[in-house]
Amino acid sequence: MSPPIAPVGWSRWLVPPAALSIHLSIGQAYAWSVFKPPLEEALGLSGTQSALPFQLGIVMLGLSAAFGGTLVERRGPRWAMTVALVCFSSGFLLSALGAATQQFWLIVLGYGFVGGIGLGIGYISPVSTLIKWFPDRPGMATGIAIMGFGGGALIASPWSAQMLESFGGDNSGIALAFLVHGLAYAVFMLLGVVLVRVPRPRAEERADGRPATPDGPQVSARQALRTPQFWLLWVVLCMNVTAGIGILEKAAPMITDFFADTSTPVSVTASAGFVALLSAANMAGRIGWSSASDLIGRKNIYRVYLGAGTLMYALIALVGSSSKPLFVLCALVILSFYGGGFATIPAYLKDLFGTYQVGAIHGRLLTAWSTAGVLGPLIVNWIADRQEEAGKHGADLYGRSLLIMMALLAVGFVANELVRPVHPSHHLDAMTAQKGAPRARRQRAESA
């Protein structure tokens, strides 16, 4: 499947909707916490066990993005979106079979492994294309698309809750909900496959404002791995994601536990609404904060994410259980930073490494997400389970987790401060960046 090249005069503003159709679909992963309580009751799972499909999905997201990044660059966004469609939808169908037969390992395999591959390939499928279409506003462009991933749960959370209420919370009801998800998302993702286009590979200036040749330093994906900048950003992303994903994966039961002993406990419906609010904040942060990074710079915006995020966690730990509005507000701010960090990182990579293989570099960096996808839920769920075994309840289940998240954000803050421009020894020359390394090497050999 060759990349579909845009005809002359084709509007670059048609690319973000194509990307959104993919990201809004795979963003369902952020609504997993809605399925946790019914799965735990129907299959007799612990909180740690019910998090396994989500955790494996995030692991596979990072791994498939890392190993498939270069292939996505070569095959193009339409191929990648097609692979994402098949894997993501198939994952739900396998999960439906697992729920119907009460085989939890099939849910882990389907949603986590197969669906996780769809998450990774789908996530990076439009990023490089968007940056090439919008070199003047990379933060805004990637923010628009990646906003969809954060906003996916805004649709999926109430939709899933309604299906579970209509179909029932037993294994057959869960199976039917998974089946409907798989079929509906396949149709919606097909829109992106049909609509997406890549820029014309000509050197002339285009009417849509794209520059003719790459600006700034150009670094290959292989060379980027040899720079300290890549690994510092890996730490930054991992710390920011771990701090956010721990709350997001446990969102529904966490707010219920925090206020279980108060005069105004949180109902199941309200907890699902809280998940939707977090998704809205996640989505708003992706477009809002990433667009702001075009104005104030990537390093400065990450100072906000990591520094202010630490303060929000401190407020939840100290007084969160005494004020429901404060708890919700702090969680919303944290999730806006979490989403903003995802949307800003491609532009940060473009600033440091150029557009030459930014999609492949981004894919490799997402292994930080895989690590965080294990760490965040594991920290929160494991500590909560141990505290519950010790006889604690309510907000006391999460005190230690919140302190750990604060420490991780502090580590990310320091890593961001250490980022500097990439040394020129890692740069490709202009000919290599424009025409590709293999062709440039052949030309140099022929001239010799």
Side-chain angles (χ1 to χ4, degrees):
M1 183 181 295
S2 59
I5 299 174
V8 175
W10 195 81
S11 175
R12 63 178 180 169
W13 291 102
L14 293 174
V15 179
L20 273 173
S21 73
I22 301 297
H23 277 239
L24 279 171
S25 299
I26 63 177
Q28 184 281 335
Y30 284 143
W32 177 253
S33 64
V34 176
F35 284 100
K36 282 172 64 68
L39 278 173
E40 290 168 13
E41 184 175 348
L43 302 181
L45 307 174
S46 68
T48 302
Q49 289 173 323
S50 66
L52 283 176
F54 176 82
Q55 288 176 294
L56 181 57
I58 299 301
V59 169
M60 293 310 301
L61 186 158
L63 293 178
S64 60
F67 289 104
T70 303
L71 192 60
V72 170
E73 289 274 356
R74 185 165 64 248
R75 296 285 185 89
R78 177 169 289 177
W79 174 88
M81 289 178 177
T82 302
V83 172
L85 184 159
V86 172
C87 291
F88 189 65
S89 296
S90 298
F92 270 112
L93 299 183
L94 279 172
S95 297
L97 178 62
T101 59
Q102 298 188 4
Q103 298 295 316
F104 182 60
W105 68 271
L106 269 176
I107 299 177
V108 176
L109 174 67
Y111 192 94
F113 185 80
V114 178
I117 294 173
L119 288 177
I121 299 300
Y123 190 87
I124 64 173
S125 61
V127 170
S128 176
T129 302
L130 282 164
I131 289 178
K132 290 171 183 175
W133 274 115
F134 294 87
D136 50 331
R137 286 176 283 182
M140 180 211 69
T142 55
I144 290 174
I146 296 177
M147 172 184 69
F149 193 89
L154 188 61
I155 299 170
S157 180
W159 184 40
S160 300
Q162 182 60 49
M163 276 195 285
L164 290 171
E165 183 177 341
S166 301
F167 301 152
D170 58 359
N171 63 297
S172 60
I174 296 170
L176 187 54
F178 282 150
L179 177 62
V180 173
H181 276 72
L183 298 177
Y185 283 130
V187 174
F188 192 62
M189 293 172 77
L190 187 61
L191 296 175
V193 174
V194 173
L195 189 60
V196 73
R197 298 289 187 277
V198 297
R200 294 176 64 81
R202 291 186 175 273
E204 69 264 16
E205 185 73 25
R206 290 176 54 87
D208 59 22
R210 283 193 306 112
T213 56
D215 290 329
Q218 302 296 322
V219 182
S220 69
R222 177 175 294 185
Q223 197 66 22
L225 293 176
R226 302 174 182 175
T227 66
Q229 288 82 358
F230 176 89
W231 296 107
L232 287 170
L233 288 187
W234 192 98
V235 172
V236 168
L237 183 63
C238 184
M239 299 300 100
N240 193 53
V241 172
T242 300
I245 209 168
I247 282 186
L248 193 58
E249 189 274 338
K250 190 78 169 178
M254 178 180 284
I255 192 170
T256 301
D257 290 337
F258 251 79
F259 300 98
D261 299 330
T262 67
S263 59
T264 56
V266 178
S267 67
V268 174
T269 302
S271 65
F274 176 62
V275 174
L277 278 177
L278 291 181
S279 179
N282 189 353
M283 180 174 62
R286 290 172 187 243
I287 182 61
W289 295 119
S290 62
S291 296
S293 76
D294 288 333
L295 301 175
I296 68 174
R298 321 302 171 195
K299 177 175 282 192
N300 286 333
I301 205 70
Y302 271 95
R303 285 168 173 155
V304 174
Y305 299 155
L306 300 162
T310 303
L311 176 61
M312 294 299 104
Y313 265 113
L315 288 173
I316 291 177
L318 293 174
V319 294
S321 60
S322 62
S323 172
K324 193 179 298 181
L326 179 64
F327 176 90
V328 172
L329 178 62
C330 290
L332 293 177
V333 173
I334 289 171
L335 263 295
S336 77
F337 292 158
Y338 169 81
F342 275 120
T344 309
I345 205 69
Y348 210 160
L349 292 172
K350 180 260 184 186
D351 293 346
L352 291 171
F353 302 109
T355 60
Y356 174 56
Q357 287 189 332
V358 67
I361 297 171
H362 183 224
R364 286 159 172 76
L365 193 75
L366 290 181
T367 54
W369 193 355
S370 296
T371 304
V374 174
L375 286 179
L378 182 62
I379 290 170
V380 176
N381 284 288
W382 187 85
I383 291 178
D385 288 345
R386 300 291 81 76
Q387 296 292 83
E388 188 173 10
E389 290 173 1
K392 296 185 178 181
H393 56 85
D396 291 339
L397 297 175
Y398 304 99
R400 293 182 182 178
S401 300
L402 297 175
L403 293 177
I404 292 173
M405 298 306 176
M406 291 169 59
L408 294 177
L409 287 173
V411 171
F413 189 93
V414 173
N416 182 56
E417 292 301 306
L418 295 176
V419 174
R420 299 290 185 272
V422 176
H423 192 275
S425 63
H426 297 288
H427 297 179
L428 297 172
D429 57 59
M431 179 68 73
T432 302
Q434 184 175 348
K435 298 183 178 180
R439 182 175 176 182
R441 285 196 295 267
R442 287 198 301 270
Q443 288 176 336
R444 286 195 292 268
E446 290 170 0
S447 64

